[in-house]
Amino acid sequence: MINIAVLGYGVVGSGVVSVLDKNADRITQNAAQEISVKYILDIREFSDDPYSHLFIKDFEIIVSDPEVQIVVEAIGGIDAALMYTRRCLEIGKSVVTSNKELIAEHGSELLQLAKEKNANYLFEASVGGGIPVIRPLTQCMTANIITEIYGILNGTTNYILTDMDKTGADFSASLLDAQNKGYAEADPTADVDGHDTCRKICILSSLAFGQHVFPSQVQTEGITGVTIEDLHYASELGYKIKLLGRARVVGDKISAYVAPHLISNDSILAVVDGVMNGVVVRGNAVGDVVFCGAGAGKLPTASSVIADVIDASKHLHAQKWISWKTGYDGFVKSPMLLDSAWYIRTDASREKVEKEFGNVIFSEGSSIETAFMTGVMNGEMIDDILKRGISAKSQFRVLGDH
Amino acid sequence: MINIAVLGYGVVGSGVVSVLDKNADRITQNAAQEISVKYILDIREFSDDPYSHLFIKDFEIIVSDPEVQIVVEAIGGIDAALMYTRRCLEIGKSVVTSNKELIAEHGSELLQLAKEKNANYLFEASVGGGIPVIRPLTQCMTANIITEIYGILNGTTNYILTDMDKTGADFSASLLDAQNKGYAEADPTADVDGHDTCRKICILSSLAFGQHVFPSQVQTEGITGVTIEDLHYASELGYKIKLLGRARVVGDKISAYVAPHLISNDSILAVVDGVMNGVVVRGNAVGDVVFCGAGAGKLPTASSVIADVIDASKHLHAQKWISWKTGYDGFVKSPMLLDSAWYIRTDASREKVEKEFGNVIFSEGSSIETAFMTGVMNGEMIDDILKRGISAKSQFRVLGDH
């Protein structure tokens, strides 16, 4: 039997305890032993909870109990989570988490500490929620040089864009709808401004390219600039608009950024709707592999956390070898020099647009403003052209094979 | 350094040797040691090949060389492949393969043998080619009770159906095109009659549900009955037609079968086109997870084979615990009692159809015959109705959440 402790009894923590109970037989079979929750750490009171006898408020009890071999950190954020994770790893307890904020900022340090102490620090649930992404990337695509990785990494913004597209509601109405359904938080900033997507592309990039990529290195644009008109014009052109986190190899460095993109209707990510997530990984042997599923939610997240717990239980004294270097200034380049076609919405006339951009594809969705797709050019080229008197009300990349 | 031997130098074997060479640095890094091909076994002559010095014709050299710890079986088929695999496992060498025919027929025996000898028998490439499917299923979804698994598992038939749909060519013209492009073999029977898909759903079912599922237990229908008219009428109704292998839990048994299905245009599998494959796994915690990518081909298959070689190299003396029981008569039930909506093409009049089926949705794609979608009913119910004077020229299930 393996004893674990769960730190934090919010959505993730309670989901883990619940799925461990509900699927106990299957989990015991897959782990080849029983996995038992010995403690749940939370400062709040849960006296009516079926697991109330497991609650404690003193973290020291967990650290000092040699029977606890794996700790699930479901606190979130950085401060306490970082301190507790360090303490656990330092004495050789493995830690499993979905805490993308902590990993994006302190992943290399914590992985290094885990390595030194022959413990595991696993975080499958931190990207893509219930979708297996990190393990396939680090264990199934090991024969490949990864050249690009991108995806719809945030369910809240994808729900809002899908809702706007399907109902014609504007951003604030769709946000309110998402909040009412529990898909968006009261303060939606981290989601709608792209910060959550940024943390996730940092984690994927660090794994795929071997250097820690920090959120501060990744140019990040959210979805507040996407209007129902943009969705309408894009649709008329045969595209959806999705918020992507994207990273690709450029020489011996990478470009990484977060921004809304037009995605062709016949690509898989175009049908990844609502709160679903989708991740594309490009390897030089396998080509593109796409992973889709529930990117968040209590049970899907618990599914990934518990898979990590099972994995850690099988590798108590064997390091899983997930690691990356500490990163450096200049490893992540601005996306300005990346080529793509562009979608632009402007009040400028079609004549003016054609004069400056040459051949473009106009959306027929409007007579009162001009929306179009350019040929392939990088960000500097397009900014140069726009300076010649075309004021862009929206300006998004079109995802393509450039 | 790990020494391996490659049995068979066809598409898969030569791809493995080629990718091991091309991505050597990355593979060495991921395996934490060099992986070196010591022998290539093939009865043919490859004197001009860059690896000609590695070729041997005597299998006994490989078996008796203690330096060879992992063997890649890329012979295909059953006879020699089975004999060589048994010999290798018996003396504790791990075996990696993409041989779905062998695993579908002899998987439980070979896995049991591997377990007894503390060796590994790994076959990520046998389903979905380069797409990570088996490892995610067995290592990432371990907290879930799997209730259903299905997918587009054969690139040849998917290419043909996509080509028919997009160009309006008939089956034989699209097959010829696929043969010319190297996507279909001279004798296409195993693909177009669904046998290849059958083997793959057998492997997935065995892994997901824990009992060996044999091809002979799985009712199998290929794509030769799908006409361009069917594709046209389905399109008019908002659907694609795809060949699916499908298995789902029914009580303490399963139903498994292979057949063409109508798939709604807004589902992910509907945009999995050409030679791509897509697999959907439904878990009771995570919901639906979808994996898509290149389902075959030299480099994608090599990508998965080498990932298994790397994994085996890290677990030379630790069994990976992939296993299933030996299976039994009656574990796999006929799909006749599974509910679904149905697509039917017939010469019967709309009046006759409505009289027998009640409310249906007619495709407006034709005036000379009648194509429609029924409500939800099982196979016996629909056969009963069809016996009342409606002769079905085509009859396919509509994939839905039943």
Side-chain angles (χ1 to χ4, degrees):
Chain A
M1 188 175 78
I2 290 272
N3 282 293
I4 73 169
V6 176
L7 314 184
Y9 200 63
V11 172
V12 175
S14 63
V16 168
V17 173
S18 159
V19 172
L20 278 172
D21 191 358
K22 184 179 172 192
N23 290 349
D25 290 349
R26 176 58 53 100
I27 291 165
T28 299
Q29 186 185 330
N30 285 334
Q33 61 188 321
E34 189 188 339
I35 291 176
S36 175
V37 179
K38 187 164 183 182
Y39 306 111
I40 304 171
L41 180 78
D42 204 296
I43 50 171
R44 296 168 293 179
E45 291 293 335
F46 293 89
S47 50
D48 295 338
D49 192 276
Y51 309 101
S52 59
H53 57 291
L54 302 177
F55 281 86
I56 57 171
K57 291 188 167 64
D58 181 4
F59 173 71
E60 299 305 324
I61 294 171
I62 293 168
V63 186
S64 60
D65 187 340
E67 284 188 356
V68 174
Q69 296 179 285
I70 301 168
V71 175
V72 174
E73 184 269 290
I75 301 170
I78 295 202
D79 305 328
L82 175 59
M83 185 175 67
Y84 291 162
T85 300
R86 279 188 184 139
R87 291 283 311 279
C88 291
L89 292 173
E90 271 163 5
I91 55 167
K93 296 185 196 300
S94 286
V95 177
V96 170
T97 191
S98 65
N99 188 336
K100 56 241 173 195
E101 192 176 354
L102 182 61
I103 302 154
E105 294 290 354
H106 297 274
S108 58
E109 171 205 332
L110 294 170
L111 285 165
Q112 182 59 34
L113 180 58
K115 196 169 193 171
E116 285 165 13
K117 302 299 179 179
N118 208 26
N120 283 296
Y121 185 49
L122 301 177
F123 41 86
E124 178 65 71
S126 66
V127 180
I131 314 169
V133 176
I134 290 178
R135 199 169 273 101
L137 180 64
T138 55
Q139 291 185 30
C140 303
M141 299 182 69
T142 44
N144 291 266
I145 295 167
I146 307 295
T147 57
E148 179 162 356
I149 189 160
Y150 62 90
I152 299 167
L153 301 173
N154 177 271
T156 306
T157 46
N158 203 40
Y159 178 85
I160 292 171
L161 291 175
T162 305
D163 186 65
M164 288 170 70
D165 194 34
K166 296 201 167 161
T167 70
D170 66 10
F171 173 78
S172 49
S174 291
L175 170 59
L176 190 63
D177 178 47
Q179 287 169 323
N180 288 337
K181 287 184 171 141
Y183 297 152
E185 296 180 45
D187 177 0
T189 315
D191 292 318
V192 301
D193 285 353
H195 303 309
D196 179 75
T197 297
C198 175
R199 291 167 191 148
K200 290 167 177 169
I201 197 65
C202 286
I203 295 171
L204 291 176
S205 302
S206 303
L207 286 165
F209 308 121
Q211 293 283 351
H212 194 121
V213 174
F214 293 91
S216 59
Q217 295 177 298
V218 176
Q219 187 177 307
T220 298
E221 175 187 351
I223 63 162
T224 53
V226 180
T227 68
I228 47 175
E229 289 78 17
D230 292 321
L231 289 160
H232 176 64
Y233 303 152
S235 172
E236 202 276 331
L237 290 162
Y239 291 79
K240 304 273 188 192
I241 301 181
K242 300 285 189 185
L243 182 67
L244 297 185
R246 186 171 178 225
R248 67 182 305 178
V249 170
V250 181
D252 59 351
K253 301 198 169 50
I254 67 164
S255 272
Y257 66 99
V258 175
H261 285 70
L262 270 70
I263 298 183
S264 170
N265 281 344
D266 59 8
S267 69
I268 290 172
L269 290 192
V271 291
V272 173
D273 281 338
V275 292
M276 301 275 281
N277 282 197
V279 183
V280 180
V281 186
R282 183 169 295 171
N284 74 333
V286 71
D288 282 1
V289 176
V290 191
F291 307 91
C292 310
K298 181 170 178 157
L299 300 186
T301 304
S303 166
S304 285
V305 169
I306 296 170
D308 277 348
V309 169
I310 292 172
D311 202 355
S313 77
K314 290 183 177 177
H315 294 85
L316 281 179
H317 306 293
Q319 237 277 316
K320 290 283 297 175
W321 300 354
I322 294 178
S323 70
W324 56 67
K325 294 178 184 162
T326 52
Y328 59 91
D329 282 352
F331 176 62
V332 184
K333 296 169 72 170
S334 152
M336 281 302 279
L337 294 176
L338 288 185
D339 280 338
S340 64
W342 296 78
Y343 158 90
I344 290 168
R345 178 166 62 94
T346 176
D347 285 327
S349 69
R350 290 192 171 197
E351 293 67 32
K352 174 75 175 167
V353 166
E354 284 184 319
K355 176 168 175 288
E356 300 295 349
F357 279 95
N359 275 336
V360 299
I361 303 169
F362 289 108
S363 168
E364 301 303 327
S366 169
S367 56
I368 57 163
E369 55 187 352
T370 305
F372 61 98
M373 268 175 38
T374 73
V376 173
M377 58 187 77
N378 68 37
E380 288 186 352
M381 290 160 72
I382 199 151
D383 282 358
D384 281 348
I385 299 177
L386 289 173
K387 278 177 197 150
R388 293 180 218 144
I390 294 179
S391 173
K393 300 199 286 190
S394 295
Q395 175 187 349
F396 306 128
R397 284 178 191 269
V398 180
L399 189 70
D401 285 328
H402 314 298
Chain B
M1 188 176 80
I2 289 274
N3 283 292
I4 73 168
V6 176
L7 314 184
Y9 200 62
V11 172
V12 175
S14 64
V16 168
V17 174
S18 160
V19 172
L20 278 171
D21 192 358
K22 183 180 175 192
N23 289 350
D25 290 348
R26 176 58 53 100
I27 291 166
T28 300
Q29 185 185 329
N30 285 334
Q33 61 186 322
E34 189 189 338
I35 290 175
S36 174
V37 179
K38 187 164 183 181
Y39 306 112
I40 303 171
L41 180 80
D42 203 295
I43 51 171
R44 296 167 294 180
E45 291 293 333
F46 293 90
S47 50
D48 295 338
D49 193 276
Y51 309 100
S52 59
H53 58 292
L54 302 177
F55 281 84
I56 58 171
K57 291 189 168 62
D58 181 6
F59 174 70
E60 299 305 324
I61 295 171
I62 293 168
V63 185
S64 59
D65 186 340
E67 283 188 358
V68 174
Q69 295 180 286
I70 301 168
V71 175
V72 173
E73 184 269 289
I75 301 169
I78 294 201
D79 305 329
L82 175 59
M83 186 174 67
Y84 291 162
T85 300
R86 278 187 185 139
R87 292 283 310 279
C88 291
L89 291 174
E90 271 163 5
I91 55 167
K93 296 186 197 297
S94 287
V95 177
V96 170
T97 191
S98 65
N99 188 335
K100 57 241 174 197
E101 192 177 354
L102 183 60
I103 301 153
E105 294 290 355
H106 296 275
S108 57
E109 171 205 331
L110 295 169
L111 284 166
Q112 181 59 32
L113 180 58
K115 196 170 193 173
E116 284 165 14
K117 303 298 179 180
N118 209 25
N120 283 296
Y121 184 50
L122 301 177
F123 40 85
E124 178 66 69
S126 66
V127 181
I131 314 168
V133 176
I134 290 178
R135 200 169 272 99
L137 180 63
T138 56
Q139 290 184 31
C140 303
M141 298 182 70
T142 44
N144 290 266
I145 294 167
I146 307 296
T147 56
E148 179 161 357
I149 189 161
Y150 62 90
I152 298 167
L153 301 172
N154 177 271
T156 306
T157 46
N158 203 40
Y159 179 85
I160 292 170
L161 290 175
T162 305
D163 187 64
M164 290 171 69
D165 193 35
K166 295 201 168 161
T167 70
D170 67 10
F171 172 78
S172 48
S174 291
L175 170 59
L176 189 64
D177 178 47
Q179 286 169 323
N180 288 337
K181 288 184 170 142
Y183 298 151
E185 296 181 45
D187 176 359
T189 314
D191 292 318
V192 301
D193 286 353
H195 302 310
D196 179 74
T197 298
C198 175
R199 289 165 191 150
K200 290 167 177 169
I201 197 66
C202 285
I203 296 170
L204 291 176
S205 303
S206 303
L207 285 165
F209 307 120
Q211 293 283 351
H212 194 122
V213 174
F214 293 91
S216 60
Q217 296 177 297
V218 176
Q219 187 178 307
T220 298
E221 175 186 350
I223 64 163
T224 53
V226 180
T227 69
I228 46 175
E229 289 79 15
D230 291 321
L231 290 160
H232 176 63
Y233 304 151
S235 172
E236 203 275 330
L237 290 162
Y239 291 80
K240 305 272 188 194
I241 300 181
K242 301 284 188 186
L243 182 67
L244 296 186
R246 185 171 180 225
R248 69 183 305 178
V249 170
V250 180
D252 60 350
K253 302 196 168 51
I254 67 165
S255 271
Y257 66 99
V258 175
H261 285 72
L262 270 70
I263 298 183
S264 170
N265 281 345
D266 58 8
S267 70
I268 290 172
L269 290 191
V271 292
V272 173
D273 280 339
V275 293
M276 302 274 281
N277 282 195
V279 183
V280 180
V281 186
R282 182 169 295 171
N284 74 333
V286 71
D288 281 2
V289 176
V290 192
F291 307 91
C292 310
K298 182 170 178 157
L299 300 185
T301 305
S303 166
S304 285
V305 169
I306 297 170
D308 276 349
V309 170
I310 293 172
D311 202 355
S313 77
K314 290 182 175 178
H315 294 86
L316 281 179
H317 305 293
Q319 238 276 316
K320 289 284 296 174
W321 301 354
I322 293 178
S323 71
W324 55 68
K325 294 179 183 161
T326 52
Y328 58 90
D329 283 352
F331 177 62
V332 185
K333 296 168 73 171
S334 153
M336 281 301 280
L337 293 177
L338 287 185
D339 280 338
S340 65
W342 296 78
Y343 158 90
I344 289 167
R345 180 166 61 94
T346 177
D347 285 327
S349 68
R350 289 192 173 198
E351 291 68 31
K352 173 77 175 166
V353 165
E354 284 185 319
K355 176 169 174 286
E356 300 296 350
F357 280 94
N359 274 336
V360 299
I361 303 168
F362 289 107
S363 170
E364 301 302 327
S366 168
S367 56
I368 57 163
E369 54 188 353
T370 305
F372 61 98
M373 269 175 35
T374 72
V376 174
M377 58 187 77
N378 69 37
E380 287 187 353
M381 289 160 71
I382 200 152
D383 282 358
D384 281 348
I385 298 176
L386 289 172
K387 278 178 197 152
R388 293 180 218 144
I390 294 179
S391 173
K393 300 198 289 191
S394 296
Q395 175 187 348
F396 305 128
R397 283 178 192 268
V398 180
L399 189 69
D401 285 329
H402 313 299

